Amino acid sequence: MARDRGIVVMTSPQLPAVIEPARLTAALRRGGVLDAGAVREVKVLHQRDTVVSHIARLGLRYVGESAGAPQSLILKTPHADFAKTLADGGRHEVAFYTKLAPNMPWGLVPRCFDGRFDEPGGTWHLLLEDLTDSHEIATQWPLPPSREQIVAIVTTLARWHAAWWDHPDLGDTIGTWASPEDSAQHMETFAGHYDRFADLLGDRLSEERRLLYRRLIDQSARLSERYHSRRNLSITHGDAHTWNFFLPRAGVADTVRIFDFDLWGVNVPTNDLAYMMALHWFPERRQALERPLLNLYHETLLASGVTGYTRGALDRDYRLSVLWHITKPVWQWAINIPPVIWWHHLERIMMAVEDLGCEELLG
């Protein structure tokens, strides 16, 4: 704890100088939520590590007029063990909150009051709206959400995709386009990972699945033409499992918020839907909800102003996204994600490929 002219600051080694009262005051003024008052005291209410980041909940006390100012904030910083190796994710998420989020419809993502990435050391921070008291995660991992919860989640995802659908700045000032050469290099890297992955699994990866992987690698340039058409694309989340959505608590009139944007990019929007449903749900749940949710997603796109994208086009894109997601368990294995995650993903996505006849897309 440090004292300066009567101001109290509760600090810890992981927390940056941005939590100093004067800097917080400036950030909240820029955000339009603090007028004449000033932050007097900052207290760490709770802090925890996620896989790749450090999350601290900050309690604030003010001096002077502070009506409407937040009583708490969320500070997100890099996990000390991964600060350098995963710096690109931090850079990416800061860019999302500082450049994209201000130009989106209200209520889709948590509000950001300050974000900064420091290039020399790869350190970064985000000061975000604290939704702890008003929102909650739908379920404890790995339980799937209820029907009511997933309807709210998919509706929000569709509204978020619609906000950037074929936006003229995609790939220019918003994200970047991968060239066909970039895609080929990406697939070459994948093929190397796959060979080692298949050697590791041995007879636990059947000949039928090995053939599917080889055919996908061989046909990847043709299948990538959907992305390279640069039509009916949007900003995608990249990690859109249902635990990256905050739902309003019972009795709270508010919107669903999406969070964790270190993997966002310009891509085919159904990649997020396939990741959410085909990769994470076992067949019974997926078969019961998949088609109604695709219908809801399409209806929400149209209601949000998207034109020229038919229900049939959505089905084709979804099946292609499911097929592409057989690569996900391999990528996860390659970055040392534990088998308890990638093995179940492998089994579920392969069952989805079979159910949806995705192999037909390989010609």
Side-chain angles (χ1 to χ4, degrees), residues 205-276:
L205 189 66
S206 68
E207 287 304 318
E208 291 80 6
R209 291 180 176 182
R210 289 171 185 267
L211 178 60
L212 183 65
Y213 274 113
R214 296 312 314 180
R215 291 177 67 194
L216 178 67
I217 293 168
D218 292 343
Q219 295 291 320
S220 60
R222 179 179 63 82
L223 297 176
S224 295
E225 291 173 0
R226 168 65 185 94
Y227 164 82
H228 292 296
S229 72
R230 299 188 180 182
R231 294 290 307 277
N232 291 318
L233 300 186
S234 184
I235 297 297
T236 56
H237 186 280
D239 192 23
H241 55 67
T242 56
W243 304 280
N244 273 338
F245 291 77
F246 285 130
L247 281 74
R249 293 182 183 274
V252 175
D254 207 337
T255 58
V256 176
R257 313 292 176 86
I258 315 172
F259 64 97
D260 273 4
F261 292 99
D262 54 314
L263 294 176
W264 72 270
V266 182
N267 218 316
V268 180
T270 51
N271 286 358
D272 282 342
L273 289 166
Y275 184 86
M276 181 183 293

Side-chain angles (χ1 to χ4, degrees), residues 314-330:
L314 172 63
D315 266 342
R316 289 191 294 275
D317 280 348
Y318 181 73
R319 292 173 70 220
L320 181 58
S321 293
V322 170
L323 179 62
W324 274 118
H325 275 314
I326 70 171
T327 63
K328 184 64 68 174
V330 180

Side-chain angles (χ1 to χ4, degrees), residues 122-329:
T123 60
W124 56 272
H125 72 263
L126 288 163
L127 273 174
L128 301 170
E129 176 184 14
D130 181 15
L131 299 169
T132 304
D133 294 334
S134 60
H135 289 68
E136 61 186 349
I137 305 300
T139 65
Q140 182 179 357
W141 182 85
L143 295 177
S146 69
R147 182 182 293 265
E148 180 181 6
Q149 289 169 331
I150 193 59
V151 163
I153 287 171
V154 169
T155 299
T156 297
L157 184 65
R159 290 180 57 226
W160 185 63
H161 285 160
W164 296 106
W165 199 275
D166 282 348
H167 193 286
D169 293 335
L170 291 182
D172 184 10
T173 58
I174 299 174
T176 57
W177 293 118
S179 68
E181 292 74 23
D182 293 332
S183 296
Q185 180 58 55
H186 183 72
M187 208 60 195
E188 183 177 337
T189 301
F190 169 79
H193 290 321
Y194 166 72
D195 287 341
R196 293 185 292 276
F197 178 79
D199 286 346
L200 170 74
L201 286 185
D203 62 9
R204 290 164 291 192
L205 189 66
S206 68
E207 287 304 318
E208 291 80 6
R209 291 180 176 182
R210 289 171 185 267
L211 178 60
L212 183 65
Y213 274 113
R214 296 312 314 180
R215 291 177 67 194
L216 178 67
I217 293 168
D218 292 343
Q219 295 291 320
S220 60
R222 179 179 63 82
L223 297 176
S224 295
E225 291 173 0
R226 168 65 185 94
Y227 164 82
H228 292 296
S229 72
R230 299 188 180 182
R231 294 290 307 277
N232 291 318
L233 300 186
S234 184
I235 297 297
T236 56
H237 186 280
D239 192 23
H241 55 67
T242 56
W243 304 280
N244 273 338
F245 291 77
F246 285 130
L247 281 74
R249 293 182 183 274
V252 175
D254 207 337
T255 58
V256 176
R257 313 292 176 86
I258 315 172
F259 64 97
D260 273 4
F261 292 99
D262 54 314
L263 294 176
W264 72 270
V266 182
N267 218 316
V268 180
T270 51
N271 286 358
D272 282 342
L273 289 166
Y275 184 86
M276 181 183 293
M277 297 189 288
L279 198 71
H280 284 89
W281 294 352
F282 286 98
E284 183 182 47
R285 191 69 176 164
R286 177 178 50 76
Q287 291 165 3
L289 294 177
E290 193 171 46
R291 183 147 298 278
L293 290 173
L294 290 174
N295 290 338
L296 171 67
Y297 177 84
H298 189 253
E299 291 163 4
T300 307
L301 288 183
L302 299 183
S304 302
V306 172
T307 60
Y309 188 62
T310 67
R311 183 64 180 80
L314 172 63
D315 266 342
R316 289 191 294 275
D317 280 348
Y318 181 73
R319 292 173 70 220
L320 181 58
S321 293
V322 170
L323 179 62
W324 274 118
H325 275 314
I326 70 171
T327 63
K328 184 64 68 174

Side-chain angles (χ1 to χ4, degrees), residues 3-213:
R3 293 182 181 270
D4 181 17
R5 298 181 183 178
I7 294 174
V8 181
V9 187
M10 306 295 292
T11 61
S12 88
Q14 299 98 329
L15 302 181
V18 69
I19 73 164
E20 295 172 357
R23 293 187 60 176
L24 280 178
T25 297
L28 296 175
R29 290 202 199 290
R30 289 193 301 271
V33 294
L34 184 61
D35 189 8
V39 177
R40 179 174 68 85
E41 179 180 339
V42 185
K43 183 178 182 180
V44 178
L45 303 175
H46 176 74
Q47 52 186 325
R48 63 185 176 87
D49 283 326
T50 68
V51 176
V52 297
S53 61
H54 184 78
I55 307 293
R57 189 185 188 202
L58 308 177
L60 308 183
R61 294 179 65 186
Y62 298 90
V63 60
E65 179 57 44
S66 60
Q71 300 303 300
S72 58
L73 294 171
I74 296 297
L75 174 67
K76 185 173 184 178
T77 54
H79 190 298
D81 293 343
F82 301 103
K84 294 190 181 299
T85 56
L86 296 176
D88 280 346
R91 181 190 291 108
H92 216 47
E93 187 163 30
V94 168
F96 176 86
Y97 276 110
T98 58
K99 297 178 181 178
L100 276 70
N103 298 308
M104 291 173 53
W106 179 88
L108 292 175
V109 302
R111 188 169 183 180
C112 179
F113 296 102
D114 192 65
R116 181 179 177 86
F117 184 90
D118 293 314
E119 290 291 347
T123 60
W124 56 272
H125 72 263
L126 288 163
L127 273 174
L128 301 170
E129 176 184 14
D130 181 15
L131 299 169
T132 304
D133 294 334
S134 60
H135 289 68
E136 61 186 349
I137 305 300
T139 65
Q140 182 179 357
W141 182 85
L143 295 177
S146 69
R147 182 182 293 265
E148 180 181 6
Q149 289 169 331
I150 193 59
V151 163
I153 287 171
V154 169
T155 299
T156 297
L157 184 65
R159 290 180 57 226
W160 185 63
H161 285 160
W164 296 106
W165 199 275
D166 282 348
H167 193 286
D169 293 335
L170 291 182
D172 184 10
T173 58
I174 299 174
T176 57
W177 293 118
S179 68
E181 292 74 23
D182 293 332
S183 296
Q185 180 58 55
H186 183 72
M187 208 60 195
E188 183 177 337
T189 301
F190 169 79
H193 290 321
Y194 166 72
D195 287 341
R196 293 185 292 276
F197 178 79
D199 286 346
L200 170 74
L201 286 185
D203 62 9
R204 290 164 291 192
L205 189 66
S206 68
E207 287 304 318
E208 291 80 6
R209 291 180 176 182
R210 289 171 185 267
L211 178 60
L212 183 65
Y213 274 113

